[in-house]
């Protein structure tokens, strides 16, 4: 039975399948379709086992059952109806044809799946605002706008190209006309043009699915730019004083309208046009020449500096310095020149080079380093310029005290001791001290101290001064004990001891009423025949002339007299003339304006044996053996004094004589026989 049942089932299945193949069904259904505007659209529809009415619908609207679709001039149905082919054709496709389409077998109740017909609209050629030639300014940021108008579907893409290369730096903007449609799209290209962009061609391309190759619109850039300037000088390297020509060349769009020349930022008056001729000097090295060229768009400036050759010029002198001993010192000087000058440092009067360059450094200076230092610049290649500049280094140290030569003195006569003090900083005090006491300034008993400025010391010892100790009447103790001259400042103290030498007593010539002081020189004086009679082999001294032969100069230096009339006659007209000549080792030092100098008194101090310095005052060498009276008042009457009192000086004469013997007071007396 089972064997009989299987064949029966196979027959039933074959019969059922045959019945199913004969029922209406779709062999091919329409699908979504994209068509370019103006082209033909074809939507397929094939039915099987159906011989009834077939129609197409557009967005649900039936187009009709006829094959030529009356009322739809651009629509028709093609294919063999007997074989079930019912394809819908549309040509040319318009925008209104974009819709959902269905193929329906109405008698069988069959409907195909809906097919969407998309209409593509290629973009039109874009437009560039301002084209086809766009004028821009070099260096000024600009934007170029490209627009695509129309009903392009889909919305086109706008691209920028230059020489086939796509440009970046664009923005995209879309304007909507109404819902679902676009009015226009635009793209803006932002860039800053340069002079190299002049005449360049830029392309804006509108591209979409409807037109993959796109449509192009080209523009040409016409650039305006300020002048492009080149400035040259001929020759570029020139000696000072030579002529130089500057040439200013420029390209510009629009053309150049003017030139302006300047030097170091200041306008060169009267300079016009592209050429400038000048005579070079050192200022052109640091003050460049500039040329400014202008046009309607703007201006441009170029400058150049000349390589001017010139000799060294002093810019900054070294400044004097004052440092304490043991400290460091440095000097600076600045020279300018082209080429740069060679700068060396030496000590004044020396040839040894201490340093090279603008700075001299001295470490841990001592008194021996004091002095003037010279900054020297060698002349340039052309032998021009150069020179020296000096600065003084003062080394602060304890005072240096030196004893100056003092002339020997007579017992009970005037005397003067001198010391020379060099000190930096200036001494706080200069003090004379001896066995009896000390004195800094002013007078004390027989002593008087005066201080005078002295010439500057050698080697930069700083300002000097001379301190003079005057003794109005010497005593034995003055010759046996020494005198100390000391000075002090904030750094210490210095001093020296000075001894007063005694001069031998004077001799007296009774024959010719002449008093000669031994130790004096009279070689340059002219002597009469009477004086020759007193000549001897011994050294002659200054001579004192008197009116009588009975004046005697005793050992103590006092004047003795004898009255041959025993007081009956008046002794009148005594005139004493002293000739001190030149003291051994030089004369005495008196400043020219010293109030103590008596009229006619020689003033002299010879510094050469001691310090090799120029003397501070005029030199007087009284070599004659006879001088006038050391005091303007002569003796009218004479009487032997019992002792010497204070000098009777004229009005205005200081009461401290030191250049002559003390003068006694002489009252007028009359004796009778």
């Amino acid at each position: 039975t089972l064997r009989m049942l299987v064949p029966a089932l196979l027959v039933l299945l074959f019969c059922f399948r045959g019945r199913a193949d004969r029922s209406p069904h779709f062999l091919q259904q329409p699908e979504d379709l994209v068509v370019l505007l103006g082209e033909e659209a074809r939507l397929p529809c094939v039915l099987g086992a159906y011989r009834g009415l077939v129609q197409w619908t557009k967005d649900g609207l039936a187009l009709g059952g006829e094959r030529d679709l009356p009322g739809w001039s651009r629509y028709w149905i093609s294919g063999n109806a007997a074989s079930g082919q019912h394809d819908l054709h549309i040509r040319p496709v318009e925008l209104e044809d974009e819709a959902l389409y269905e193929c329906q077998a109405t008698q069988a109740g069959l409907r195909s799946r809906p097919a969407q017909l998309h209409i593509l609209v290629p973009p039109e050629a874009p437009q560039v605002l301002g084209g086809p030639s766009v004028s821009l300014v070099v260096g000024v940021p600009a934007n170029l706008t490209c627009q695509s108008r129309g009903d392009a579907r889909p919305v086109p893409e706008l691209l920028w190209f230059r020489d086939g290369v796509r440009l970046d730096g664009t923005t995209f903007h879309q304007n909507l006309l109404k819902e679902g449609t676009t009015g226009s799209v635009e793209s803006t290209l932002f860039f800053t043009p340069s002079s190299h962009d002049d005449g360049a061609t830029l392309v804006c391309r509108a591209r979409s699915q409807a037109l993959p190759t796109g449509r192009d619109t080209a523009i040409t850039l016409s650039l305006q730019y300020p002048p492009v300037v080149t400035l040259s000088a001929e020759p570029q390297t020139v000696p000072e004083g030579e002529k130089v020509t500057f040439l200013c060349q420029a390209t510009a769009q629009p053309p150049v309208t003017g030139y302006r020349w300047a030097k170091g930022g200041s306008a060169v008056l009267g300079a016009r046009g592209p050429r400038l001729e000048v005579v070079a000097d050192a200022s052109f090295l640091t003050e460049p020449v500039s040329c400014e060229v202008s046009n309607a768009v703007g201006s441009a400036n170029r400058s150049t500096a000349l390589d001017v050759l010139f000799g060294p010029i002093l810019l900054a002198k070294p400044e004097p310095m004052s440092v304490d001993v043991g400290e460091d010192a440095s000097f600076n000087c600045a020279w300018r020149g082209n080429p740069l000058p060679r700068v060396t440092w030496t000590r004044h009067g020396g040839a040894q080079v201490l340093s090279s360059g603008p700075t001299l450094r001295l470490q841990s200076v001592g008194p021996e380093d004091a002095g003037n230092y010279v900054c020297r610049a060698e002349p340039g290649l052309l032998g021009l310029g150069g020179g020296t500049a000096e600065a003084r280094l003062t080394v602060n140290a304890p005072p240096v005290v030196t004893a100056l030569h003092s002339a020997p003195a007579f017992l009970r006569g005037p005397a003067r001791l001198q010391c020379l003090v060099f000190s930096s900083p200036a001494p706080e005090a200069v003090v004379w001290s001896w066995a009896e006491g000390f004195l800094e300034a002013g007078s004390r008993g027989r002593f008087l101290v005066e201080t005078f400025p002295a010439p500057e010391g050698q080697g930069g010892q700083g300002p000097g001064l001379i301190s003079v100790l005057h003794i109005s009447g010497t005593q034995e103790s003055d010759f046996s004990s020494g005198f100390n001259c000391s000075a002090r400042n904030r750094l210490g103290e210095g001093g020296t001891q000075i001894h007063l030498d005694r001069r031998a007593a004077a001799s007296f010539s009774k024959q010719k009423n002449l008093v000669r002081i031994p130790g004096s020189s009279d070689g340059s004086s002219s002597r009469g025949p009477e004086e020759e009679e007193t000549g001897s082999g011994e050294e002659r001294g200054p001579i004192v002339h008197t009116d009588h032969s009975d004046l005697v100069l005793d050992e103590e230096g006092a004047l003795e007299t004898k009255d041959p009339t025993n007081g009956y006659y008046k002794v009148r007209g005594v005139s004493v003339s002293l000739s001190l000549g030149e003291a051994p080792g030089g004369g005495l030092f008196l400043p020219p304006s010293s109030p103590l100098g008596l009229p006619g008194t020689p003033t002299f101090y010879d510094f050469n044996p001691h310090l090799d310095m120029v003397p501070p005052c005029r030199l007087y060498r009284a070599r004659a053996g006879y001088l006038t009276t050391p005091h303007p008042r002569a003796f009218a009457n004479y009487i032997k004094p019992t002792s010497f009192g204070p000098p009777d000086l004229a009005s205005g004469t200081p009461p401290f004589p030191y250049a002559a013997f003390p003068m006694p007071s002489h009252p007028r007396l009359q004796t009778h026989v």
Side-chain angles (χ1 to χ4, degrees), residues 491-507:
L491 297 175
E493 183 175 342
T496 187
Q497 188 175 53
I498 306 175
H499 291 276
L500 177 62
D501 295 331
R502 182 171 178 174
R503 174 172 288 186
S507 62

Side-chain angles (χ1 to χ4, degrees), residues 403-405 584-587 604-613 615 621:
L404 298 180
H405 174 78
F604 165 69
Y605 178 78
D606 185 2
F607 280 85
N608 293 325
H610 303 281
L611 301 174
D612 192 21
M613 287 188 271
R621 297 184 180 272

Side-chain angles (χ1 to χ4, degrees), residues 112-131:
S112 70
R113 60 174 172 268
Q116 177 69 49
L117 178 60
H118 297 279
I119 309 300
L120 299 182
V121 180
E124 298 179 358
Q127 295 181 347
V128 179
L129 300 183

Side-chain angles (χ1 to χ4, degrees), residues 467-490:
S467 182
V468 183
L469 174 65
H470 300 280
I471 306 174
S472 62
T474 60
Q475 299 178 0
E476 288 288 351
S477 60
D478 296 334
F479 300 102
S480 60
S481 61
F483 291 83
N484 291 320
C485 177
S486 60
R488 69 174 181 273
N489 62 15
R490 63 178 176 83

